[in-house]
Amino acid sequence: MKQTEHKDKNIIDIFKSRDGHETKVELKNGRLISVWNIAWGYDIGDEFAHITTNISPNIDNATIDFFFTNEINKILTDEE
């Protein structure tokens, strides 16, 4: 059985390194999301991860959002 190549390792690594720090994500549809932490995974055959934000742990006053990494237009941090 052939392994699916995940094409978003660098994106997941960014979110993991920033766990607990606010990261803004602009999606291709123009939506801007505040991300403090992520839970992510791949379904069989997926090249891009699905991400659920701000649930592990829950962040007070933060929305819980769901998107795929290939829907990201930009990742913005305080350092930029």
Side-chain angles (χ1 to χ4, degrees):
M1 185 169 154
K2 183 181 177 192
Q3 287 278 116
T4 301
E5 180 184 342
H6 299 148
K7 297 185 175 182
D8 56 1
K9 182 181 179 324
N10 59 331
I11 292 171
I12 298 301
D13 288 346
I14 290 168
F15 286 125
K16 286 170 39 179
S17 73
R18 295 193 49 78
D19 187 52
H21 301 279
E22 185 178 26
T23 304
K24 299 280 189 175
V25 174
E26 179 186 301
L27 299 180
K28 290 179 182 176
N29 66 6
R31 202 164 144 224
L32 190 62
I33 298 171
S34 289
V35 177
W36 293 87
N37 60 59
I38 66 167
W40 76 99
Y42 300 89
D43 291 328
I44 294 173
D46 283 353
E47 296 174 336
F48 300 96
H50 54 266
I51 292 178
T52 305
T53 66
N54 308 325
I55 62 166
S56 184
N58 182 56
I59 303 296
D60 290 340
N61 301 315
T63 61
I64 295 172
D65 295 288
F66 179 88
F67 56 90
F68 287 85
T69 57
N70 64 329
E71 296 175 319
I72 296 172
N73 188 44
K74 291 181 191 172
I75 296 175
L76 308 163
T77 65
D78 293 344
E79 292 80 37
E80 297 178 280

